Amino acid sequence: MAIQNITMPQLGESVTEGTIEKWLVKPGDTVKKYDPLAEVVTDKVNAEIPSSFEGVITELLAEEGQTLPVGAVVCSVEIAGDSELPPPPPPKKSAVSTAILNAGVQKKQETKQPATAPIASQKTARQDKVRYSPAVLRLAQEYEIALDQITGTGEGGRITRKDLMKLIEAGNVPTSLVETPPAVDSAVPQSAPVAAPASQENPKSATSAQPIQAGDIEIPVTKVRRAIANNMVRSVHEVPHAWMMMEVDVTDLVTYRDSIKTEFKQKEGFNITYFAFFVKAVAQALKEFPMMNSMWAEDKIIQKHDINISIAVATEDALFVPVIKHADEKSIKGIAKEINELAVKVRAGKLTMDDIKGGTFTVNNTGAFGSIQSMGIINYPQAAILQVESIVKKPVILPGGMFAARDIVNLCLSLDHRVLDGLVCGKFLNRVKKILENTNKSSTSVY
């Protein structure tokens, strides 16, 4: 028999880690290939980790609530037929002697337990040899917890995320000037360094800096909200944001859409929204200005071939960014249908990994909340995000000096100044403006 390892998969283009929400198996369970093993939460999607093999679960190497980087081993599976497989390479000497470094075949390593140390030396031994998971390290740094003063409830006295959460919730956090050891959990591959969450670069968290007054309400940060926060901070820290705004007269578009919306809903079964017209106009303009459809890659800029529009869909406590693939090839009706289907999936918690992969440019419908001007944070690693604001009536001077009430919308563009400059962004926005201002019943079909 041989041991195969299951690792944390890449659950999105910019996703670097995932949190084990719930295990669906336990040691001793027999699984088939592609059977779901665990539910995982990231800032992009809720997904399942499938088994890559058929066999018996031998060990779960991550706890529920633990956050692991992409590539970290989460569990091991015993499979038959090791005689047909190449022998594992000899283990390298390392401070993390039991770490599983890849998803290849390996014999399960037995860790010899040292003799019980005298009480006086246990603290020193603990500081020298203990390993902490990324989730434990994150909480320890955020709340300034002295890990050397905590007795863990995990196997072998290991400190778990649940141990820290109990202390935090009880307000009984031990602190000291002793720095948190930099070591990571033995389940994390050394070949894939742990990406420090962006929140670690921030000053002391507000929860520890601000006193709790009578009547204050403490709202626990969900895993999804924490992941969103980390990704947003990463974008702001790494991307030099610049902004541009343009007014667009969409009076004819509004008249056209309002004239067909009732008949369209009766015929198609879903709404034809203003947003579908905006997404179509952006997709068309991206085809004409492909530099806007690019990404920064350190030593090069990657201009993406496919035009995949990410759209922001909010729930009560989270923001998801599903993707309309090949938006430039779809009609306004096709885009409206996908917007509707993706929104339904988000609110039902049924987004799949494929639904959120491959986005190249984001369009955010901030106007749905009544906003008239905003500056979006770029959806890393994309180079730009366009905020479509609320359509409002404004007095406009027409040719000849006459005033008229017109439907005006602000388009607010956030751009990565490493990739894009004002010239190309101005031309792009002007093209979107021209398309929208010439959208009417006589010139535009939704089919």
Side-chain angles (χ1 to χ4, degrees):
M1 307 297 285
I3 301 296
Q4 287 278 7
N5 303 315
I6 306 296
T7 60
M8 178 67 71
Q10 180 88 37
L11 296 172
E13 193 164 6
S14 62
V15 174
T16 60
E17 62 184 13
T19 300
I20 301 294
E21 177 74 6
K22 180 182 180 181
W23 279 109
L24 305 176
V25 295
K26 61 183 182 299
D29 285 355
T30 299
V31 296
K32 295 181 179 179
K33 193 173 183 179
Y34 306 123
D35 279 356
L37 303 178
E39 295 177 357
V40 179
V41 174
T42 75
D43 62 322
K44 301 288 186 183
V45 69
N46 293 359
E48 294 176 342
I49 298 179
S51 176
S52 303
F53 314 99
E54 181 173 346
V56 177
I57 300 294
T58 57
E59 187 176 7
L60 304 182
L61 298 170
E63 300 176 357
E64 291 183 355
Q66 184 174 347
T67 301
L68 298 171
V70 170
V73 178
V74 297
C75 69
S76 55
V77 181
E78 188 176 59
I79 62 171
D82 61 329
S83 60
E84 302 176 4
L85 299 170
K92 296 181 180 179
K93 292 184 178 181
S94 166
V96 189
S97 59
T98 60
I100 304 173
L101 301 181
N102 55 46
V105 180
Q106 297 185 354
K107 299 292 183 181
K108 189 171 181 179
Q109 301 178 9
E110 297 295 332
T111 303
K112 294 182 179 180
Q113 297 295 331
T116 303
I119 293 177
S121 63
Q122 284 182 356
K123 182 175 179 180
T124 301
R126 180 187 180 106
Q127 289 177 323
D128 291 341
K129 298 182 180 180
V130 73
R131 296 291 182 265
Y132 302 108
S133 73
V136 167
L137 287 174
R138 181 180 298 110
L139 285 172
Q141 186 160 6
E142 184 174 345
Y143 291 93
E144 299 183 348
I145 301 173
L147 294 177
D148 61 310
Q149 298 182 23
I150 298 174
T151 301
T153 60
E155 185 177 354
R158 184 169 175 266
I159 298 175
T160 68
R161 182 178 182 278
K162 291 179 181 178
D163 294 331
L164 299 191
M165 290 305 298
K166 286 181 180 178
L167 293 173
I168 293 167
E169 291 168 2
N172 187 27
V173 177
T175 60
S176 74
L177 297 178
V178 179
E179 292 186 357
T180 302
V184 297
D185 186 83
S186 61
V188 180
Q190 289 178 306
S191 56
V194 179
S199 59
Q200 291 184 359
E201 301 174 14
N202 287 342
K204 190 176 178 181
S205 68
T207 52
S208 58
Q210 299 298 330
I212 304 300
Q213 306 290 345
D216 292 350
I217 299 174
E218 294 186 63
I219 302 173
V221 177
T222 64
K223 298 180 184 70
V224 171
R225 174 53 57 188
R226 173 67 66 191
I228 291 171
N230 290 343
N231 197 50
M232 292 296 97
V233 173
R234 179 186 182 187
S235 179
V236 171
H237 277 228
E238 294 187 19
V239 177
H241 283 60
W243 294 271
M244 182 177 291
M245 186 182 79
M246 199 166 288
E247 279 191 346
V248 182
D249 186 336
V250 289
T251 305
D252 290 346
L253 187 159
V254 170
T255 301
Y256 176 37
R257 179 262 179 183
D258 289 351
S259 70
I260 64 171
K261 65 178 182 180
T262 301
E263 181 183 350
F264 184 93
K265 176 67 180 292
Q266 292 172 348
K267 180 180 178 181
E268 305 295 342
F270 56 90
N271 291 321
I272 180 76
T273 62
Y274 295 125
F275 191 51
F277 288 90
F278 288 104
V279 171
K280 177 61 178 177
V282 169
Q284 184 178 333
L286 287 173
K287 200 171 185 69
E288 299 174 29
F289 294 92
M291 195 62 192
M292 299 296 300
N293 203 46
S294 300
M295 297 180 181
W296 179 262
E298 296 304 331
D299 60 339
K300 57 185 172 290
I301 293 171
I302 301 173
Q303 192 175 104
K304 306 297 288 184
H305 175 268
D306 294 338
I307 295 176
N308 300 333
I309 304 293
S310 302
I311 60 171
V313 181
T315 61
E316 287 298 323
D317 64 346
L319 178 68
F320 297 90
V321 192
V323 178
I324 300 174
K325 306 284 200 315
H326 306 289
D328 57 313
E329 300 174 6
K330 292 179 168 65
S331 65
I332 295 170
K333 173 204 163 183
I335 290 173
K337 183 179 181 181
E338 283 209 40
I339 291 172
N340 178 70
E341 290 175 347
L342 290 170
V344 169
K345 277 188 172 184
V346 166
R347 287 161 189 146
K350 294 183 179 179
L351 272 185
T352 66
M353 202 162 42
D354 189 59
D355 290 327
I356 54 92
K357 288 171 60 176
T360 60
F361 187 99
T362 297
V363 183
N364 190 7
N365 189 20
T366 44
F369 311 111
S371 170
I372 59 170
Q373 184 176 340
S374 59
M375 296 187 297
I377 297 175
I378 295 168
N379 182 18
Y380 186 92
Q382 297 171 17
I385 179 173
L386 184 70
Q387 311 274 95
V388 178
E389 305 297 344
S390 182
I391 300 172
V392 296
K393 289 282 188 184
K394 285 187 176 182
V396 175
I397 302 176
L398 300 178
M402 299 293 291
F403 279 89
R406 306 288 290 180
D407 291 298
I408 304 296
V409 65
N410 290 332
L411 301 181
C412 301
L413 181 72
S414 299
L415 57 116
D416 182 343
H417 225 324
R418 298 172 302 180
V419 180
L420 303 171
D421 296 313
L423 179 62
V424 67
C425 291
K427 288 182 175 180
F428 167 76
L429 270 186
N430 262 309
R431 181 56 181 145
V432 176
K433 172 185 173 79
K434 185 175 180 180
I435 294 169
L436 293 172
E437 290 186 340
N438 286 278
T439 298
N440 53 61
K441 190 170 187 177
S442 62
S443 66
T444 310
S445 173
V446 297
Y447 295 98

